[in-house]
Amino acid sequence: EDWWAAKRDRIFWRGGRVGGGPRDQQVTALQHMRNSSLADVQYMEWGENRIDGRNSAPGCAGVVEVCKNRYLAFLNGLTYSSRFKFLLLCGSCV
């Protein structure tokens, strides 16, 4: 289909750095994905929120940018993430 062909053929992930527990699994998964030219994975660095709506966090990607990818990684973390429901709405493989 045209909507699928328009998506980038890569796996995409963004997340914050957290310590302990599942983080070890997360780091291992990210190391494997980073070795692929078909992956765009990186940690976000949290910064201040800006009043103009632009995100000042390096590495951060908005939902529109995220949804341009065919494959979206959802990795274990230590905190609650509301991201999963939005990833499912992208029409990508999660």
Side-chain angles (χ1 to χ4, degrees), residues 19-33:
R23 184 173 185 277
D24 296 337
Q25 297 168 359
Q26 188 183 78
V27 168
T28 301
L30 291 173
Q31 286 171 341
H32 287 292
M33 285 190 279

Side-chain angles (χ1 to χ4, degrees), residues 24 40 81:
D24 296 337
D40 181 358
S81 175

Side-chain angles (χ1 to χ4, degrees), residues 43-86:
Y43 285 109
M44 296 182 299
E45 301 298 331
W46 294 108
E48 296 178 7
N49 290 329
R50 294 173 44 157
I51 197 164
D52 63 4
R54 294 187 201 147
N55 194 321
S56 62
C60 187
V63 78
V64 173
E65 184 66 24
V66 172
C67 289
K68 291 179 181 178
N69 299 282
R70 289 185 184 172
Y71 312 101
L72 305 174
F74 187 77
L75 304 175
N76 275 344
L78 290 178
T79 61
Y80 171 78
S81 175
S82 61
R83 176 185 335 179
F84 187 61
K85 61 186 168 191
F86 296 107

Side-chain angles (χ1 to χ4, degrees), residues 6-23:
K7 290 181 178 278
R8 297 177 191 129
D9 189 23
R10 67 178 177 194
I11 189 165
F12 186 91
W13 179 84
R14 292 292 186 276
R17 294 181 192 272
V18 294
R23 184 173 185 277

